[in-house]
Amino acid sequence: MSHNLPDRLVRTVQTLLACTMLLGSYAGAAEKLANVTILATGGTIAGSGASATTTVGYTAATVGVDTLIKAVPELSNVAQVKGEQVFQIASENMTNEHWLALAKRVNTLLAQADVDGIVITHGTDTLEETAYFLDLTVKSKKPVVLVGAMRPGTALSADGPINLYNAVLLAASRDAVGKGVLVALNDQIHSARDVSKTNTSTPDSFKTPELGLLGYIQGGKPYFYRASTRKHTVDAEFDVSKLTTLPQVDIVYGYANVGPVALNALVAAGAKGIIHAGVGDGSLAATVKPALVAARKQGVVIVRASRVGQGILARNGEANDDELDFVAADTLSAQKARILLMLALTKTSDTKAIQQMFYTY
Ligand code: DAS
């Protein structure tokens, strides 16, 4: 401060500056916390075990959403949280009907001005599938974050509470807007399209091995380093608002010495689409190919995927898809290709249009 000003004036200016900074900080602190709704569906994050060392062989889906929220009082520092118990199931029992009900509830809530983001607590077994289904059917840019746990809340070093805290602060963050449906476990942020459960039981199970995670959550803040290049949410063409069922699409697995029995049974049971999770780059065994061709002739849409887990399933690579009128799954896993094909079949059975969807989403 200049020395030729009268001391009284200098002190007045310094006091004014201090008051301005103090008011600024109060204004910042009073800045409204985001409104985040937690939709609870069950799973290990709501599970309980017989002892603190029980990390497998516990019971999933036993703890209610209010208890989950009460177990993490720090949630109130990052968001205004409300809880809804939409289901209470182990996620191996998730059905198409659960998905339709969940997507409709999410879209209804996100259309409300008083909901800024949604967290869905979910079993880890099918979490990646529910996330991708919502990635293609949520009609909002507001954050939707799926979270689970690899250990029940009763276990030593349970991962559920910190995963829930991170998921809520992510859903409350402006940085998560427009990123598509996100999956947050183990301090990492993954895209719904590319994440998968890669280990039966360890806390670092959710990975995006080659295409890469989107970012991290560290010290109560999300850090994004990349974004998906594929369309999702408001840019997706699928509308489930009036649907009560989804077309039946099943998966057949390729392996040495495979035969056509499972495929023929699924087609006979009325499958409208078949995902062939082939060995390698989606190779078709000579024992199965004729049954796939026959199914196609009956109008069943065939998608060639791979059991391998990473890499592009190339059209016209291991089979002449142009000639067979099959669809190539690109980089989608078999379980996610099933979801995209189900939604595609709600709009068209034209394989050229469906192939374009596999290059778009
Ligand atoms: N059975 C598992 C499930 O509900 C438990 C879990 O890992 O969440 O997906």
Side-chain angles (χ1 to χ4, degrees):
M1 188 63 69
S2 156
H3 291 290
N4 50 17
L5 284 175
D7 281 355
R8 202 160 42 80
L9 178 58
V10 169
R11 275 200 302 280
T12 307
V13 170
Q14 282 170 338
T15 309
L16 278 175
L17 275 175
C19 291
T20 309
M21 285 164 70
L22 193 61
L23 280 174
S25 67
Y26 279 137
E31 191 181 312
K32 199 178 81 52
L33 288 173
N35 295 317
V36 172
T37 299
I38 297 176
L39 300 180
T41 73
T44 293
I45 194 167
S48 53
S51 76
T53 54
T54 306
T55 54
V56 289
Y58 50 80
T59 309
T62 59
V63 175
V65 65
D66 293 339
T67 308
L68 294 179
I69 293 171
K70 279 200 194 84
V72 189
E74 294 79 5
L75 292 178
S76 60
N77 303 334
V78 294
Q80 303 267 17
V81 167
K82 276 187 193 161
E84 271 186 37
Q85 192 76 43
V86 283
F87 321 124
Q88 185 66 296
I89 61 171
S91 76
E92 61 268 31
N93 297 320
M94 199 58 77
T95 64
N96 293 349
E97 288 66 35
H98 286 119
W99 282 349
L100 287 168
L102 189 57
K104 290 170 185 173
R105 186 62 187 142
V106 166
N107 281 324
T108 300
L109 284 167
L110 291 181
Q112 294 172 201
D114 63 347
V115 176
D116 301 309
I118 287 182
V119 166
I120 298 171
T121 59
H122 194 292
T124 59
D125 289 355
T126 60
L127 190 149
E128 67 204 67
E129 297 180 48
T130 302
Y132 190 47
F133 180 78
L134 294 172
D135 200 43
L136 296 172
T137 56
V138 165
K139 297 300 170 200
S140 172
K141 289 190 171 193
K142 292 178 182 176
V144 175
V145 181
L146 273 83
V147 62
M150 296 303 293
R151 295 175 180 155
T154 47
L156 288 175
S157 306
D159 54 334
I162 187 65
N163 285 353
L164 179 60
Y165 174 76
N166 282 345
V168 169
L169 75 87
L170 178 61
S173 164
R174 287 194 192 89
D175 294 345
V177 171
K179 293 284 196 320
V181 171
L182 301 171
V183 172
L185 282 93
N186 194 40
D187 299 345
Q188 296 181 353
I189 306 170
H190 294 268
S191 74
R193 181 187 188 277
D194 302 319
V195 72
S196 51
K197 181 173 181 179
T198 65
N199 184 289
T200 57
S201 56
T202 53
D204 66 345
S205 179
F206 280 78
K207 290 193 170 66
T208 307
E210 292 188 356
L211 295 176
L213 52 72
L214 301 186
Y216 300 100
I217 300 165
Q218 193 175 76
K221 193 176 174 330
Y223 297 87
F224 280 95
Y225 292 86
R226 64 180 81 247
S228 175
T229 60
R230 291 297 173 97
K231 285 191 174 180
H232 52 69
T233 57
V234 293
D235 295 326
E237 63 194 277
F238 308 110
D239 176 7
V240 297
S241 59
K242 296 183 178 53
L243 295 181
T244 53
T245 59
L246 290 166
Q248 183 63 33
V249 174
D250 291 297
I251 301 172
V252 291
Y253 201 72
Y255 47 87
N257 200 37
V258 67
V261 172
L263 169 62
N264 291 336
L266 290 168
V267 173
K272 298 286 181 283
I274 290 285
I275 310 295
H276 179 269
V279 296
D281 190 14
S283 309
L284 305 177
T287 52
V288 171
K289 187 174 173 182
L292 287 167
V293 171
R296 182 69 201 114
K297 285 202 170 72
Q298 291 179 59
V300 177
V301 175
I302 308 293
V303 174
R304 271 192 326 111
S306 171
R307 73 178 198 181
V308 162
Q310 308 304 317
I312 296 176
L313 191 295
R315 183 172 178 82
N316 297 324
E318 283 297 329
N320 188 332
D321 297 307
D322 289 349
E323 189 183 282
L324 297 165
D325 193 20
F326 290 174
V327 174
D330 190 61
T331 54
L332 283 179
S333 64
Q335 56 270 29
K336 291 188 183 174
R338 170 178 173 268
I339 292 164
L340 180 51
L341 182 54
M342 275 198 306
L343 290 168
L345 289 172
T346 65
K347 292 186 70 77
T348 178
S349 56
D350 175 279
T351 49
K352 285 185 179 44
I354 293 172
Q355 180 66 77
Q356 196 48 42
M357 292 176 184
F358 274 81
Y359 293 147
T360 303
Y361 298 107

